Amino acid sequence: MKDLAYSTIDSYHQAKQLARKNPEPFWAEIAKNFQWHKPWDKVLEYDFHAPEVKWFLGGKLNITENCLDRHLKTQPDQTAIIFEPNDPSEAAEHITYKELHSRVCRAANMLKANGAKKGDRICIYMPMTPELAIAVLACARIGAIHSVVFAGFSATALAARINDAACTMLLTADGSYRGPKITPLKAIADEALTQCPTIKNCIVFKRTGQEVEWNSIDLWWHEELEKVSDSCPAEIMDSEDPLFILYTSGSTGKPKGMVHSCGGYMVYTAYSFQNVFQYQKGDVYWCTADIGWITGHSYIVYGPLAVGATTVMFEGVPSYPDYGRFWEVCAKHKVNQFYTAPTAIRALEKHPTSLVEKHDLSSLKVLGSVGEPINAEAWHWYDKHVGKHNCPIADTWWQTETGGILISSLAGVTPQKPTYATLPMPGIQAVLLDNDGNELEGEAEGILAIKHPWPSIARTIWGDHERYKKVYFSAYPGYYFPGDGALRDADGNYRITGRVDDVVIVSGHNLGTAPIENALNEHTNVVESAVVGFPHDIKGNALHAFVIPNKSVDDAEKLTNELRDLVAKTIGPIAKPDRIQVVSGLPKTRSGKIMRRILRKLAAGEYDNLGDISTLLNPEVVEEIKQNS
Ligand code: PRX
């Protein structure tokens, strides 16, 4: 995979120039590093106004042949996955490429034997064990479209995602270990499936061994595997066939099923993985994300495996059994590239540095950050205590929708700048726009937008192409609009300033406020609610909910607890507001629109900075909110 990587600043500049002048030959050269059954007829067809994007048209491939089969010739005994269990006393598992290939093929046959075929949607609701990666790859092997739902989501959220894509099969587990907790995944799945008529089979992987209820559609994973062989030819896919759906929050109620396609996604995840992390053969790379999120899809599974890397999968949490677990695992597996989220760094930073220092981190070469802006304090702590001032930090900006990293330094090749994601990758044409959609030049602050497609841009929202158009291509016609603001310094480095819509990033998780408000409004004593983010020193942002009750509240604590539970049940525990404030009204414009800008200031305690509130319909509620908070 050497041809994918720019390991010197000169080669980086050359690539950047070529990509700008001639994007299509640039991407074609990169795509030649992969195994295609039939090469593409045309590199790119796109129209951001339609919107429509197609890459490597007419190309035929299977991504699993690129992630598995081709490495069998060159490095069958290389470790593909190192599995580090939640409990440190349980042995780690080292899975070679040869073994992973065999296990994926067997699982693929298990899916086929139970009726799955190309184009079917298969929902995966599983813990972070190798079987989750195997499930994903098994779907890709047979051309089924996987839809992984993070195993922290509730039954209601799981059911909504299964139904949106009309999935025909669910892959789950009896339970999952996360730190000291066991989550009863099967019981949650059972509850979800009472509302999911399209599911024909539910295959259950045994992880915790806990008691589970058994229904007529249930099958044990280990029993089904025994019935099939480990030889499974890969389904030949068109470059533009969907590979997977992954749901992300939006500013309106319903989650958006982002659809990624086979060819472009493969090319871009491998390209960006190789360049950002400067992975070298034999290195051990660890991304601490969950495969339930895009980071896990692109940079635990597909990107690393496509280049033949050794990727660590961690089942646990950074705080268990103590706050030194990340560093213990880095030392144990001699991790070379370590990729985590600022929220984890901020949480760990609060604990004695002896928890870091007692572990030998000398194997580390590269550090990465993802999911939200990394504040200066966290950046410097990471650099000093983990990197020992000796590891470049790649602050990687991207999204579920972009499929791969778009703005980042290339570790050790391009300059880093604390709190800046720095420069767009070669092939990415980022711009800043003013509110009217004019491009800003030089040093500036504005709306971040991308001018030209890249291979792993999501192609649509499952079942709702109009929404795709509206959310990403309508506000600034001719550009892809990610929903983030940014500033740019004189050297062209970008610093992401945060969302410009009603999505709040809490502990690196992208949460739409609308679905949380919908959940709160389900309560019999809530008439209306508004949820906003406020700065939080560990989570980055936390949620503040303002709720209007329909009758007087005698026991505010009881109501608050009920509302938190309701949000956990409807969406998942990650969406529970930190603060719930009962109010008699919400600040509104004369046309009845909630003034979220004012609520954000109130939640942040910025009372002196509220701006002119005299034009509000009900300025008195602002005073009341201040008094009660
Ligand atoms: O606001 C940006 C923030 O996370 C959003 C995307 O969230 P999601 O689709 O869940 O994907 C997260 C993992 C890629 C972005 O719109 N974000 C992501 N990375 C960064 C970031 N904000 C600042 N700096 C980053 N490095």
Side-chain angles (χ1 to χ4, degrees):
M1 279 282 136
K2 274 229 156 345
D3 298 344
L4 281 183
Y6 316 117
S7 44
T8 63
I9 189 83
D10 288 346
S11 57
Y12 165 83
H13 283 306
Q14 266 170 17
K16 210 155 187 167
Q17 234 175 15
L18 174 64
R20 193 173 303 126
K21 274 204 218 128
N22 278 316
E24 293 177 27
F26 170 80
W27 287 113
E29 257 330 285
I30 289 168
K32 282 184 195 154
N33 284 282
F34 298 84
Q35 192 177 304
W36 299 81
H37 279 269
K38 175 182 165 293
W40 51 92
D41 306 314
K42 196 172 175 199
V43 176
L44 171 65
E45 218 173 74
Y46 86 104
D47 174 359
F48 268 180
H49 294 275
E52 184 184 84
V53 181
K54 291 182 175 151
W55 280 93
F56 311 115
L57 288 85
K60 303 281 180 197
L61 77 153
N62 186 292
I63 194 167
T64 68
E65 288 184 324
N66 284 276
C67 289
L68 300 170
D69 303 57
R70 66 175 167 157
H71 304 312
L72 299 189
K73 293 176 205 128
T74 52
Q75 49 168 41
D77 300 322
Q78 170 80 39
T79 303
I81 294 178
I82 299 177
F83 171 56
E84 173 65 24
N86 178 61
D87 180 348
S89 65
E90 187 182 331
E93 197 183 341
H94 291 248
I95 304 171
T96 62
Y97 271 92
K98 198 162 136 209
E99 187 189 345
L100 184 61
H101 177 266
S102 151
R103 287 170 70 173
V104 167
C105 288
R106 195 180 287 276
N109 281 332
M110 163 179 85
L111 302 181
K112 280 210 273 197
N114 285 290
K117 55 181 190 319
K118 180 175 178 177
D120 286 356
R121 275 80 59 207
I122 297 185
C123 181
I124 303 177
Y125 184 68
M126 292 180 74
M128 273 289 286
T129 60
E131 284 70 18
L132 169 52
I134 289 168
V136 161
L137 292 163
C139 289
R141 187 81 177 171
I142 65 167
I145 302 168
H146 56 77
S147 166
V148 182
V149 176
F150 172 61
F153 274 117
S154 69
T156 314
L158 173 61
R161 285 156 177 76
I162 289 174
N163 290 335
D164 184 72
C167 295
T168 49
M169 191 183 275
L170 175 67
L171 307 178
T172 188
D174 49 357
S176 89
Y177 296 119
R178 293 279 282 173
K181 280 194 284 193
I182 295 183
T183 308
L185 292 186
K186 172 71 166 65
I188 298 171
D190 284 347
E191 194 188 330
L193 292 191
T194 60
Q195 307 160 50
C196 302
T198 53
I199 294 283
K200 297 197 190 83
N201 294 308
C202 173
I203 304 184
V204 187
F205 169 65
K206 193 182 265 187
R207 173 61 181 138
T208 56
Q210 68 200 94
E211 284 277 306
V212 289
E213 300 260 325
W214 210 246
N215 302 310
S216 57
I217 60 166
D218 295 339
L219 300 158
W220 280 114
W221 175 289
H222 57 275
E223 289 178 4
E224 292 309 295
L225 280 187
E226 274 175 21
K227 299 178 189 163
V228 292
S229 83
D230 71 350
S231 156
C232 179
E235 186 75 33
I236 309 223
M237 306 295 286
D238 191 87
S239 184
E240 279 299 313
D241 279 338
L243 172 64
F244 67 84
I245 303 170
L246 185 61
Y247 286 86
T248 187
S249 322
S251 16
T252 61
K254 222 172 138 208
K256 298 172 290 192
M258 304 314 306
V259 179
H260 283 284
S261 65
C262 295
Y265 178 82
M266 170 183 74
V267 170
Y268 196 83
T269 50
Y271 159 83
S272 51
F273 171 75
Q274 185 62 62
N275 276 294
V276 169
F277 298 103
Q278 295 288 311
Y279 183 87
Q280 288 172 0
K281 193 169 159 51
D283 282 349
V284 175
Y285 158 88
W286 179 20
C287 165
T288 69
D290 191 291
I291 293 177
W293 309 114
I294 191 69
T295 310
H297 281 59
S298 302
Y299 300 114
I300 295 178
V301 182
Y302 288 114
L305 296 180
V307 307
T310 299
T311 174
V312 176
M313 269 185 81
F314 176 48
E315 187 184 31
V317 292
S319 53
Y320 181 81
D322 66 33
Y323 281 89
R325 185 70 192 278
F326 271 3
W327 322 125
E328 184 217 321
V329 175
C330 281
K332 178 174 172 187
H333 297 299
K334 300 197 169 41
V335 169
N336 302 111
Q337 290 89 7
F338 177 73
Y339 189 28
T340 196
T343 186
I345 300 165
R346 287 191 298 264
L348 298 173
E349 191 190 310
K350 302 264 178 273
H351 296 272
T353 50
S354 56
L355 286 166
V356 193
E357 262 119 45
K358 73 179 197 201
H359 300 287
D360 174 7
L361 298 183
S362 58
S363 58
L364 287 176
K365 298 195 284 191
V366 171
L367 302 178
S369 171
V370 58
E372 54 182 319
I374 178 163
N375 50 305
E377 197 187 332
W379 196 100
H380 288 291
W381 187 90
Y382 200 24
D383 177 46
K384 178 174 175 195
H385 297 287
V386 182
K388 322 286 182 203
H389 298 303
N390 209 15
C391 299
I393 299 178
D395 175 0
T396 63
W397 175 83
W398 59 297
Q399 309 179 294
T400 306
E401 295 86 337
T402 69
I405 297 165
L406 299 195
I407 305 184
S408 172
S409 54
L410 309 194
V413 176
T414 65
Q416 61 186 19
K417 179 169 178 176
T419 77
Y420 281 71
T422 73
L423 301 171
M425 303 275 297
I428 302 302
Q429 298 185 24
V431 294
L432 285 181
L433 304 176
D434 67 14
N435 287 335
D436 301 322
N438 303 308
E439 280 188 30
L440 301 167
E441 297 298 326
E443 227 172 317
E445 178 162 5
I447 309 281
L448 182 61
I450 317 288
K451 216 173 159 167
H452 186 273
W454 62 97
S456 65
I457 183 174
R459 303 298 195 258
T460 189
I461 292 176
W462 183 264
D464 199 349
H465 198 66
E466 262 313 297
R467 188 175 180 197
Y468 174 72
K469 177 176 182 171
K470 189 159 167 260
V471 177
Y472 304 107
F473 298 93
S474 298
Y476 302 96
Y479 298 91
Y480 168 76
F481 166 59
D484 281 316
L487 58 82
R488 188 172 51 209
D489 72 7
D491 299 322
N493 291 305
Y494 286 87
R495 176 187 192 162
I496 312 301
T497 48
R499 300 289 309 183
V500 295
D501 57 7
D502 292 330
V503 170
V504 184
I505 313 281
V506 178
S507 298
H509 301 311
N510 193 336
L511 297 173
T513 52
I516 303 171
E517 289 162 6
N518 292 347
L520 295 169
N521 297 348
E522 288 292 306
H523 192 281
T524 48
N525 197 17
V526 172
V527 186
E528 196 179 7
S529 62
V531 174
V532 296
F534 67 93
H536 184 282
D537 64 346
I538 292 180
K539 299 179 180 183
N541 296 293
L543 298 173
H544 187 129
F546 298 90
V547 295
I548 308 178
N550 61 10
K551 54 181 194 300
S552 69
V553 178
D554 305 326
D555 187 344
E557 199 182 324
K558 181 164 170 276
L559 176 66
T560 304
N561 288 337
E562 285 171 3
L563 289 174
R564 285 219 174 89
D565 288 348
L566 193 55
V567 173
K569 195 166 174 303
T570 318
I571 302 168
I574 49 172
K576 283 199 267 188
D578 266 43
R579 296 191 205 139
I580 296 183
Q581 185 176 0
V582 177
V583 294
S584 70
L586 294 166
K588 290 191 177 166
T589 60
R590 286 177 196 276
S591 61
K593 196 169 172 299
I594 298 173
M595 287 298 285
R596 290 172 183 279
R597 184 180 53 77
I598 293 179
L599 289 175
R600 278 193 280 268
K601 296 259 160 72
L602 289 167
E606 291 176 23
Y607 299 155
D608 300 335
N609 192 14
L610 293 175
D612 181 12
I613 58 167
S614 64
T615 56
L616 292 178
L617 184 67
N618 49 356
E620 68 287 352
V621 298
V622 172
E623 198 49 41
E624 180 208 305
I625 293 174
K626 278 205 262 183
Q627 298 302 328
N628 296 348
S629 52

